[in-house]
Amino acid sequence: MSTLFERCQKVMPPVANRATQMGVVKGEGCYLTSEDGREILDFASGVAVCNIGHNHPKVVEAAIEQVKSLIHGGHNVVYYESYVSLAEKLVEITGGDTMVYFSNSGAEANEGAMKLAKYITKRQAVIAFKGSFHGRTIATTSITSSNSAYRKNYEALLPSVYFAEYPNLFRTPYKRECEECPKQYLEQFDEMFKKLIDPYSVAAIIMEPIQGEGGYVVPPVEFVKYVREICDKYGIMLIFDEIQTGFGRTGKMFAQENFGVKPDIFTTAKAIASGFPLSAIIAKKEHMEKWVAGAHGGTFGGNPVACAAALATIDVLENGALENCAKMGEYFKEKLLELKRKYKEIGDVRGIGLMLAIELVDEENRPNTHLTNTILTKALEKGLLLLSCGCDKNVVRFIAPMIVEKKDIDKAIQILDEILSTEN
Ligand SMILES: Cc1ncc(COP(=O)(O)O)c(C=O)c1O
C-alpha cells in the first residue's frame, strides 16, 4: 500500500518544503503517531503551532462545543460570542489600550499590519530586516529576506522596501566593545535615512523580536529599544511580527515582554488557536480607531471554532503552561550548554523559554549544514522530530510543547548526544 507521502507526490506540486516524508495518524501531547505506528517525540510542534501539545483536551472540548452551535457566521455579517470574547481577552492581556482584528494566517496578518501602518501614516516605505521571514504572499515575500529561493521568479516585488541588518551577535563582523550591541547596528538607520529613504516617508519598521526562520537569533535588548526610539523620533509605526514568538513560546505570553518594548502594531498567528487557522493584528487603540469600515476585511477571519479554541489555549497558557515553559526552557538550555561543552560542532546555544536552538559549525566556525541535516535525519530515525532554520540551514531549533516534562527533554538530549558522538 502506498504511503501518504507517495500518494501526495502524485497529486500535489513539490512547491511546499517538506521537512520529512512521514505520514501521521494521531497527535497527543508531546507525541505524534506515524502511519507505520511509531511514537515520535515532536519538538517541531507543527512549526510552533501546537504550543500546548497536540489535541489538548481543553481545546478539543471547546472546539466541539462551538461546532455544535455555530461553525461560521462571518465577521463582516454578524457578531458572535467566541469572537468578541477572544478580542476582549487579548485586549486585557495586552494592557487594555489595544484593539484586535482577526484574520486566518500569519502572512495575512502581516499584510493587514502593513496596510494599517500605511493607512495611518499615509507613507509608502517599509523597513524590514535581513534574515527575516514574514510569509508567502507577494507583500510578505517582499519584506522577507531569509532565503532568495522564496523570492526567485517573483521579482519585481513590492517597491519601497528597505532591509536593515539584524544583530546576530554570534556571526557579527563588528567588534563588541563595552556596549551590549555593536554601534554599527544602531548607526545604520542614520545612514539609511541619509542615503536611501527619508525617514518621514517610512510607514513602518517590521521586525521579529526574535528571528525565527532566520536562525532563532535573539537581538540585544538595547537594539530593540533603539528601534523603538527611531520609530518615535520619526513617527514610524513599529510592527512586531510575533507569529512564531507569540503565545508563550518564550515563557511570556508575547516575546516583546522580554525586551520591555511595546510596538504600535503586532501580529500573531501559529499557536494562537492550537492548530485552528487564526491570526490577529493587535494595535494601539488610537491607531485602530482610525482604520475605517471597508479599509480591510476577509471572509473567514475570526472563525467561531478557531476563536473558541484560542480562548481555551489562553486558559491553558495562563494556568501553568507559561510557567512550565519558562522552567523547562531553563532546564533544556542548560542541557544544551552541557552538550556544547562536549562537542565543538555546537558553536552556539541560544534562545529564550522553549524557543531554543543550536548552531552547528565546522572546524573554522563556518556553517555546518551537512551535520545539521544528519542530525535531523538520524533524530527522526531515533524517534525525535526536529526542524532546522537559519539562512545557511545550519541551526537546529527545538520547539518543544510547553507541557513538556524533564523526561522528554532528557530523551531528546540523549538522542542528540548519541548522534553527535558517532559523527565526531
Ligand atoms: C515570523 C513569521 N512570520 C510570518 C509567518 C507566516 O505565517 P503563515 O505561514 O501562517 O502565513 C511565519 C511562518 O512561519 C513566521 O514564522
Side-chain angles (χ1 to χ4, degrees):
M1 212 176 69
S2 302
T3 63
L4 288 166
F5 164 71
E6 287 159 351
R7 285 165 55 199
C8 191
Q9 298 286 93
K10 293 188 186 136
V11 290
M12 289 185 182
V15 64
N17 258 338
R18 315 274 185 180
T20 75
Q21 295 183 1
M22 181 172 67
V24 295
V25 291
K26 193 181 157 195
E28 189 178 353
C30 296
Y31 283 83
L32 285 168
T33 309
S34 68
E35 63 185 323
D36 57 358
R38 298 170 68 218
E39 292 292 299
I40 307 289
L41 180 57
D42 181 10
F43 278 9
S45 296
V47 199
V49 168
C50 303
N51 275 6
I52 55 168
H54 291 281
N55 285 37
H56 194 286
K58 283 198 174 167
V59 174
V60 172
E61 193 190 323
I64 289 174
E65 278 314 302
Q66 182 60 49
V67 165
K68 284 184 197 159
S69 60
L70 182 74
I71 294 175
H72 177 76
H75 76 265
N76 292 124
V77 185
V78 290
Y79 296 88
Y80 40 90
E81 183 60 42
S82 61
Y83 176 78
V84 179
S85 291
L86 180 59
E88 286 169 347
K89 184 70 195 171
L90 290 172
V91 167
E92 181 200 311
I93 290 173
T94 52
D97 59 348
T98 53
M99 283 185 157
V100 183
Y101 181 81
F102 295 118
S103 298
N104 303 286
S105 68
E108 197 185 353
N110 281 339
E111 288 252 0
M114 276 197 286
K115 283 171 76 180
L116 174 61
K118 288 186 180 217
Y119 193 88
I120 292 163
T121 59
K122 299 188 175 59
R123 300 178 184 179
Q124 305 79 36
V126 173
I127 297 174
F129 287 90
K130 289 187 192 162
S132 62
F133 184 84
H134 296 294
R136 297 294 199 154
T137 59
I138 288 288
T140 54
T141 297
S142 308
I143 54 168
T144 287
S145 75
S146 56
N147 190 335
S148 65
Y150 301 161
R151 303 166 63 95
K152 188 181 173 187
N153 294 345
Y154 301 127
E155 306 274 352
L157 293 160
L158 212 61
S160 297
V161 173
Y162 299 84
F163 287 100
E165 295 289 338
Y166 196 88
N168 178 343
L169 297 190
F170 180 65
R171 294 239 165 248
T172 186
Y174 307 126
K175 269 219 180 79
R176 265 172 93 180
E177 284 143 15
C178 48
E179 69 278 356
E180 193 195 350
C181 180
K183 60 181 186 310
Q184 287 85 347
Y185 293 108
L186 311 180
E187 290 170 356
Q188 64 174 327
F189 295 100
D190 287 342
E191 179 87 357
M192 190 182 263
F193 295 151
K194 193 161 109 189
K195 295 183 180 165
L196 281 171
I197 178 77
D198 179 81
Y200 295 101
S201 300
V202 179
I205 297 182
I206 181 162
M207 75 182 286
E208 296 160 82
I210 298 172
Q211 269 190 351
E213 173 85 14
Y216 276 29
V217 180
V218 184
V221 172
E222 185 190 355
F223 178 77
V224 185
K225 287 191 190 297
Y226 187 76
V227 174
R228 175 72 272 178
E229 272 173 40
I230 288 281
C231 288
D232 289 340
K233 185 169 171 190
Y234 297 111
I236 299 168
M237 297 283 120
L238 176 59
I239 304 175
F240 278 165
D241 175 339
E242 288 246 28
I243 284 155
Q244 187 156 167
T245 54
F247 285 91
R249 189 48 43 206
T250 66
K252 311 262 188 214
M253 192 62 89
F254 297 109
Q256 57 195 260
E257 296 164 46
N258 297 293
F259 301 93
V261 173
K262 279 201 167 192
D264 299 287
I265 305 168
F266 75 98
T267 53
T268 183
K270 285 193 183 282
I272 182 172
S274 291
F276 288 92
L278 183 68
S279 62
I281 303 166
I282 303 174
K284 286 182 181 163
K285 191 173 182 181
E286 64 188 273
H287 303 317
M288 283 291 217
E289 279 176 339
K290 292 181 192 144
W291 215 14
V292 301
H296 193 50
T299 301
F300 287 117
N303 169 269
V305 186
C307 288
L311 283 163
T313 302
I314 294 171
D315 184 39
V316 174
L317 286 172
E318 285 182 333
N319 288 291
L322 273 182
E323 226 171 280
N324 193 57
C325 173
K327 209 162 76 191
M328 288 300 110
E330 270 178 40
Y331 179 74
F332 202 163
K333 196 169 186 180
E334 192 41 55
K335 292 279 163 195
L336 290 171
L337 285 165
E338 270 172 34
L339 279 188
K340 179 176 182 292
R341 288 192 281 275
K342 200 164 159 190
Y343 299 106
K344 59 184 185 329
E345 290 84 355
I346 301 180
D348 194 26
V349 172
R350 54 182 179 250
I352 308 180
L354 284 169
M355 187 167 184
L356 296 173
I358 54 174
E359 177 155 350
L360 282 312
V361 297
D362 66 13
E363 316 74 50
E364 284 168 47
N365 212 36
R366 288 174 305 210
N368 195 337
T369 310
H370 176 72
L371 179 58
T372 307
N373 290 333
T374 305
I375 290 174
L376 298 196
T377 308
K378 291 201 170 174
L380 190 56
E381 283 166 15
K382 290 171 182 285
L384 171 66
L385 179 56
L386 297 171
L387 296 176
S388 64
C389 62
C391 299
D392 293 296
K393 291 277 172 255
N394 70 316
V395 178
V396 176
R397 50 179 154 172
F398 303 93
I399 324 174
M402 286 161 206
I403 50 159
V404 73
E405 295 175 33
K406 276 188 180 171
K407 66 175 168 46
D408 303 313
I409 295 172
D410 291 343
K411 184 173 166 180
I413 292 290
Q414 194 195 327
I415 289 174
L416 277 175
D417 199 353
E418 279 169 19
I419 298 169
L420 285 163
S421 66
T422 55
E423 289 304 311
N424 241 323

